[in-house]
Amino acid sequence: MFLSVFEMFKIGVGPSSSHTMGPMVAAGRFLDLIRAAPFDVAGLRGSLHGSLAFTGVGHATDRATILGLAGFQPESYDHDRAEQTLAAIRDSGTVTPPGLPTLNFRPKDDLIFDFGPALPGHANGMILMATDGQGDVILQETYYSVGGGFVLTERELAAGKDTDTGPPVPYPFKSAAEMLDMARISGKSIAEMKRKNEISRGCSQSLAKGTARIWQVMDDCITRGLDTGGELPGGLRVKRRAKAIREQLEAERGMNLNAPHTINDWISTYAMAVNEENAAGGQVVTAPTNGAAGVMPAVIRYWLDHVPGATPSKIEDFLLTAAAIGGLVKYNASISGAEAGCQAEVGSAAAMAAAGLCAVMGGTPEQVENAAEIALEHHLGMTCDPVKGLVQVPCIERNGLGAIKAVSAASLALRGDGTHFVPLDSAIETMRQTGLDMNEKYKETSLGGLAVNVPNC
């Protein structure tokens, strides 16, 4: 099993990797399908199913799908150009994707939110269709957004294409137990093994540049969030808090009465800054998802700014270690809130961040695995119940607490020798089973939990 660090950490746009980035990617893939087809296409249609329907408006799924059909992609998203394009599509009832003729597409009529049963493959399903001049469907594809911006067609999902099919890598592990065995035999750290695997599929220079770019986007996102006030869009009138909290913390610097737990406020604020940017539709990095995008950057920023001896030269090790853990979670369970609840998003992010922090602070592979297990274990059972379908409440604060748990988990692991009672593999399997047992109303549908017990307006 191999999942690249650049698949786990993808640069994209908020507010959701599965509900925003995924549908945009799916729409782009459908355009490629049309370009390769022998048909004369005159129009487009689509339908959103399962969680994409129930929380699609709050997650900007319709907007993302429309823009995807116009040729937009998450990694090159331009907000101002997107607004102009959306207005033009609404006015004209047409879309003109690159390399294709002008196609009929009236989003209000041609993009349907289907609130019936979910499609069979995954909770996040969508069907895209191309029509001829008479309005008859001549090309159709079903896509599943399986979390973290990953998209599979119906056939790919059935064929198991969510697993690695590339050439062999030097250190292939599909479980934490295998990972630790390989570390013991090779004498290498998790990051070193992951680096060898990455280089075998690419080159060391692109790895260094790519990981530096990932951290730069993460760090820029923190900075924007810390500098921006006001309210978040969506109708809940949620106030951005990261800027005000940062100003309070800076004003308190040098005071002798500061409580030691104030460091938790810094960690939370870094995470909240990212998720406020995500909620506003800004540029973020999936880590492993947009809904959990604040945990990893917050822990890295905490380490760099507050831990003696921290150095940016180890950020690549942090990301590689975290990606190794994230790959295990995705391969053996899920990183999708619509599939397994928030335990699969913030829980996975906390496990990844705890592992990365433990590694750069000198932890052994056994301690790193222990850190990831502690963080994931104490997110088990966490539901995904966003109020009004927006990635705001409880998501923003939840990232702050996830980051704090990650730091605590790494610290506890470093106090031990790596031996512990519950293996990471058992925690991952428990998360998978819990997700299967979890009621659908707690899986990003906004039909239960906080979503129905607090005012939505």
Side-chain angles (χ1 to χ4, degrees), residues 10 36 54 110 125 127 176 200 204 220 239 246 268 332 366 398 402-403 428 444:
K10 294 190 284 288
F54 283 104
D110 295 326
I127 300 172
S200 74
S204 57
D220 287 347
K239 292 182 179 179
R246 173 192 56 93
S268 292
N332 293 296
E366 290 78 13
R398 190 166 283 178
I428 293 173
E444 210 167 355

Side-chain angles (χ1 to χ4, degrees), residues 339-360:
E339 190 172 31
C342 199
Q343 59 173 357
E345 296 204 30
V346 172
S348 298
M352 293 164 62
L357 179 61
C358 185
V360 298

Side-chain angles (χ1 to χ4, degrees), residues 41-403:
V41 175
L44 299 171
R45 291 185 206 156
S47 58
L48 305 172
H49 302 260
S51 181
L52 293 186
F54 283 104
T55 58
V57 173
H59 286 66
T61 305
D62 49 347
R63 174 189 174 97
T65 304
I66 296 165
L67 290 171
L69 292 173
F72 282 72
Q73 288 294 302
E75 63 272 14
S76 58
Y77 179 80
D78 183 296
H79 177 77
D80 291 338
R81 188 166 68 88
E83 292 300 321
Q84 295 171 2
T85 300
L86 286 169
I89 294 171
R90 283 194 298 266
D91 291 342
S92 68
T94 63
V95 63
T96 308
L100 289 170
T102 297
L103 304 173
N104 295 320
F105 181 59
R106 295 187 178 277
K108 188 175 180 180
D109 301 319
D110 295 326
L111 186 60
I112 305 301
F113 286 78
D114 188 325
F115 297 103
L119 297 178
H122 191 277
N124 294 330
M126 59 191 298
I127 300 172
L128 296 177
M129 295 160 276
T131 59
D132 61 16
Q134 306 303 314
D136 296 325
V137 175
I138 55 175
L139 188 63
Q140 177 175 311
E141 185 61 89
T142 298
Y143 296 95
Y144 292 107
S145 180
V146 297
F150 292 88
V151 172
L152 298 171
T153 66
E154 186 174 40
R155 289 183 294 276
E156 288 170 345
L157 187 66
K161 288 295 181 65
D162 55 336
T163 57
D164 179 42
T165 57
V169 294
Y171 299 96
F173 50 84
K174 59 181 182 294
S175 69
E178 290 182 359
M179 178 183 72
L180 292 179
D181 284 343
M182 287 184 179
R184 292 189 196 101
I185 293 169
S186 68
K188 296 184 181 298
S189 69
I190 294 170
E192 287 171 336
M193 293 191 297
K194 181 67 174 166
R195 183 177 291 107
K196 291 288 187 181
N197 288 347
E198 293 284 345
I199 292 173
S200 74
R201 297 284 183 94
C203 68
S204 57
Q205 185 177 26
S206 62
L207 176 63
K209 289 182 178 179
T211 52
R213 170 65 175 156
I214 288 169
W215 169 240
Q216 187 63 60
V217 175
M218 286 180 170
D219 195 37
D220 287 347
C221 187
I222 293 175
T223 300
R224 289 195 309 275
L226 292 177
D227 290 343
T228 307
E231 290 184 353
L232 294 171
L236 289 180
R237 305 206 65 182
V238 172
K239 292 182 179 179
R240 285 179 177 253
R241 289 181 291 163
K243 181 176 185 290
I245 296 173
R246 173 192 56 93
E247 291 171 348
Q248 293 172 19
L249 290 169
E250 289 179 341
E252 293 169 3
R253 276 179 171 160
M255 297 176 65
N256 294 327
L257 298 179
N258 278 350
H261 64 250
T262 298
I263 191 62
N264 286 339
D265 296 341
W266 278 108
I267 298 170
S268 292
T269 303
Y270 295 145
M272 291 167 61
V274 172
N275 285 86
E276 287 174 357
E277 280 295 293
N278 178 63
Q283 187 181 60
V284 297
V285 177
T286 63
T289 66
N290 282 28
V295 177
M296 280 276 298
V299 175
I300 297 176
R301 183 72 171 261
Y302 155 76
W303 171 64
L304 287 174
D305 288 3
H306 301 276
V307 177
T311 170
S313 64
K314 290 186 177 181
I315 289 176
E316 183 174 290
D317 283 357
F318 195 119
L319 294 173
L320 289 170
T321 305
I325 299 301
L328 292 177
V329 176
K330 184 180 186 302
Y331 180 79
N332 293 296
S334 176
I335 58 171
S336 167
E339 190 172 31
C342 199
Q343 59 173 357
E345 296 204 30
V346 172
S348 298
M352 293 164 62
L357 179 61
C358 185
V360 298
M361 292 186 69
T364 64
E366 290 78 13
Q367 289 172 318
V368 168
E369 184 262 359
N370 187 14
E373 186 280 324
I374 294 170
L376 181 59
E377 179 182 340
H378 298 289
H379 283 88
L380 292 176
M382 182 175 282
T383 60
C384 183
D385 50 354
V387 176
K388 204 179 178 182
L390 299 169
V391 193
Q392 298 180 16
V393 180
C395 319
I396 295 171
E397 285 181 354
R398 190 166 283 178
N399 275 255
L401 273 293

